[in-house]
Amino acid sequence: MNVLKFGGTSVGSAERIRSVADLINDGSPKIVVLSAMSGTTNSLISISDHLYRNEKQQALEEIQNMELNYFIVISELCRTEASVKRAKEFVQTVFTYLRSFVNKDFYPLQEKAVVAQGEIISTTLMHYYLEECGIPSSLISALNYMRIDKDGEPDYYYIEQNLKRELTAPGVQPLVITQGFICRNAYGEIDNLKRGGSDYSAALAGAAVGAGEIQIWTDIDGVHNNDPRFVKNTQAIRQLSFDEAAELAYFGAKILHPSSIQPAKKCNIPVRMKNTLRPEDEGTLITRESPAKNIKAVAAKDGITAIKIKSGNMLLAYGFLRKVFEVFEAWKTPIDMIATSEVAISLTIDNTEHLEEIYRDLEKFGTIEVDENLSIVCIVGDFSLDKAGRAASVLQALEDIPLQMISYGGSEHNISLVVESSLKQKALVALSEKLL
Ligand code: ASP
Ligand code: MG
């Protein structure tokens, strides 16, 4: 059994929903994980923002617009009067539910329930459409099996037990449709796997059922060797290892949610990135091992802040780094990159929610400098330590660009550099021209 995930644009219109229905109707058993139609999650978040601010009129207007848009999709998607009516009635219940929040106090818990509606609508419309076409399928609610624990981490045991139970319930068809993104938390409340989390849902479902393959279907033929938004003539990479893919996903390649590699790697399930617009293309295959190549790909991540701590106390001291790291731990802020010298340490973060508190706590240790508007450029390739000249070729390609930090040797397949964001594109282009 394979798990296939289709993103928001792949189900973004009646026409696209129809082509996904064609793709998944090949007779083989599968779990199909869907995102909300593109734009929907953003709209639901914006509606929630209005509700938090008690802007009733704006909330109602936005709910109304969205409902009308869904009515248009339904009239384009469904062929018979009866199925138009059925789908409209369903969508109306969802929007009545959304309107019910307008006169209540609004809390984060309710926001989670509001944003969950996007995936609930897309999967229901797909399921109705398949039924109308006479294609048997079952709609299984992710709220019945997808779960995170108190730390927000997936509860693997619960997911496996419950998904298997749902799949083996009487009458369940080999073609299963389910929601990405949404889940329950440790208290049974509606929650989600954070923005872009549908990939993660698919990977978790794949791991739970021991899938043959986890396929992530998007609008591009696989993971590209550089960012097509900034560099011309990028190419799809045919094979990546889990580790390489994880680095690329984390450091910028928008195509895959970074957490989704973890469950696949844990259960050694191949992940294949496919293009809905060109299904015949083989896409990118991500497996445990992948053929080595000097430089495979480059990606960049914006919104990076560097924090430098200079301290006389660090000289010949032990335990200093621990104290510094504890500050970041206390404020639940992940560190991306680190560079140290004997008298200073530089760290980068992308979540600046607690920057002020972190700054205050670090001041005890020395002088602090904060640098914003930076980007991490991540170069993935074979940097085995016995390969002479590989790192030098990267630095040479970037000889015209001031580098703020360099991280090399952390793994054998990655070099990460920090540059000012205004120089990111120049760096990506230079790496493409000279190395790819
Ligand atoms: N619909 C959610 C989002 O827009 C999840 C996803 O598409 O992966 O973030
Ligand atoms: Mg996505």
Side-chain angles (χ1 to χ4, degrees):
M1 180 179 240
N2 288 346
V3 175
L4 284 72
K5 178 260 172 178
F6 293 88
T9 36
S10 300
V11 291
S13 68
E15 194 193 338
R16 303 298 300 274
I17 294 176
R18 264 190 233 119
S19 33
V20 170
D22 281 344
L23 266 169
I24 59 181
N25 176 30
D26 63 359
S28 64
K30 56 175 75 65
I31 300 176
V32 175
V33 176
L34 300 183
S35 289
M37 292 179 75
S38 51
T40 294
T41 308
N42 286 345
S43 299
L44 291 169
I45 288 173
S46 146
I47 289 167
S48 301
D49 289 343
H50 289 311
L51 292 172
Y52 277 124
R53 295 196 291 260
N54 203 18
E55 297 162 354
K56 295 183 185 169
Q57 205 44 43
Q58 284 104 316
L60 283 170
E61 252 166 53
E62 213 160 324
I63 293 172
Q64 176 82 2
N65 287 342
M66 233 180 131
E67 185 173 36
L68 291 177
N69 283 334
Y70 272 102
F71 285 165
I72 296 172
V73 171
I74 289 169
S75 58
E76 288 168 356
L77 181 67
C78 302
R79 292 182 198 143
T80 64
E81 275 304 307
S83 49
V84 169
K85 185 163 174 278
R86 180 182 179 214
K88 276 197 174 167
E89 275 170 11
F90 166 73
V91 164
Q92 265 160 350
T93 58
V94 172
F95 283 87
T96 305
Y97 174 65
L98 292 180
R99 286 190 184 93
S100 76
F101 289 103
V102 172
N103 289 314
K104 288 185 205 149
D105 285 340
F106 201 68
Y107 303 106
L109 202 63
Q110 291 157 323
E111 176 176 5
K112 300 281 174 58
V114 166
V115 296
Q117 300 309 312
E119 272 71 11
I120 292 176
I121 299 178
S122 65
T123 48
T124 305
L125 291 182
M126 177 63 81
H127 177 59
Y128 282 3
Y129 177 69
L130 291 167
E131 270 186 353
E132 187 188 311
C133 299
I135 303 166
S137 70
S138 294
L139 178 59
I140 292 184
S141 173
L143 301 178
N144 293 348
Y145 66 85
M146 194 54 77
R147 193 172 171 114
I148 49 176
D149 63 18
K150 288 201 182 83
D151 301 318
E153 293 299 323
D155 184 339
Y156 279 91
Y157 181 75
Y158 183 97
I159 297 166
E160 184 179 333
Q161 297 299 310
N162 287 279
L163 178 53
K164 283 185 172 161
R165 191 202 59 232
E166 291 283 321
L167 291 172
T168 50
V172 170
Q173 300 294 326
L175 175 55
V176 167
I177 311 295
T178 189
Q179 299 85 18
F181 182 55
I182 66 175
C183 64
R184 289 193 190 271
N185 60 23
Y187 313 100
E189 297 151 348
I190 297 183
D191 210 316
N192 61 59
L193 301 175
K194 309 223 172 80
R195 293 308 304 270
S198 293
D199 297 345
Y200 199 15
S201 303
L204 290 168
V209 301
E213 210 168 87
I214 297 161
Q215 299 182 350
I216 308 289
W217 289 76
T218 62
D219 272 3
I220 180 165
D221 39 0
V223 182
H224 274 222
N225 60 359
N226 204 329
D227 193 328
R229 290 169 302 176
F230 303 107
V231 180
K232 284 188 216 129
N233 301 327
T234 62
Q235 273 154 9
I237 314 163
R238 291 309 173 191
Q239 286 189 49
L240 281 172
S241 68
F242 288 128
D243 291 342
E244 290 168 341
E247 304 265 14
L248 284 177
Y250 187 70
F251 289 117
K254 283 275 174 301
I255 179 164
L256 185 65
H257 189 280
S259 306
S260 48
I261 293 296
Q262 219 182 325
K265 183 179 171 186
K266 187 166 162 245
C267 302
N268 197 20
I269 299 172
V271 176
R272 196 184 286 275
M273 311 292 301
K274 295 274 289 175
N275 184 354
T276 354
L277 302 171
R278 295 205 316 124
E280 66 287 355
D281 190 276
E282 64 186 286
T284 300
L285 182 64
I286 306 166
T287 50
R288 186 171 280 169
E289 306 285 344
S290 118
K293 205 177 156 206
N294 292 359
I295 310 284
K296 268 196 186 169
V298 179
K301 180 174 175 172
D302 295 332
I304 299 296
T305 298
I307 303 169
K308 184 182 271 179
I309 306 132
K310 278 194 215 157
S311 168
N313 300 341
M314 200 175 154
L315 200 64
L316 297 174
Y318 51 83
F320 183 80
L321 287 180
R322 179 176 53 76
K323 288 185 210 144
V324 168
F325 291 154
E326 270 170 1
V327 171
F328 290 85
E329 190 182 343
W331 295 108
K332 290 196 162 59
T333 301
I335 298 167
D336 285 330
M337 253 177 82
I338 309 172
T340 63
S341 82
E342 196 46 47
V343 290
I345 167 167
S346 288
L347 308 148
T348 70
I349 57 172
D350 74 339
N351 177 352
T352 49
E353 198 185 330
H354 297 295
L355 184 57
E356 260 174 51
E357 292 94 331
I358 290 172
Y359 190 103
R360 203 189 50 220
D361 287 357
L362 288 175
E363 265 182 329
K364 300 199 250 324
F365 304 129
T367 341
I368 313 299
E369 264 172 45
V370 173
D371 237 333
E372 285 164 313
N373 302 322
L374 302 174
S375 297
I376 292 182
V377 175
C378 158
I379 299 114
V380 163
D382 179 12
F383 297 109
S384 311
L385 298 178
D386 57 345
K387 302 271 174 11
R390 295 268 162 92
S393 69
V394 170
L395 297 182
Q396 239 153 40
L398 297 172
E399 62 185 349
D400 297 332
I401 296 170
L403 305 177
Q404 315 256 335
M405 267 169 83
I406 301 174
S407 172
Y408 171 68
S411 84
E412 295 207 327
H413 45 255
N414 163 270
I415 294 183
S416 297
L417 309 156
V418 175
V419 298
E420 267 177 35
S421 293
S422 57
L423 296 170
K424 173 190 76 174
Q425 181 159 15
K426 193 174 171 197
L428 292 178
V429 170
L431 289 164
S432 250
E433 281 173 357
K434 297 185 186 143
L435 297 178
L436 292 175

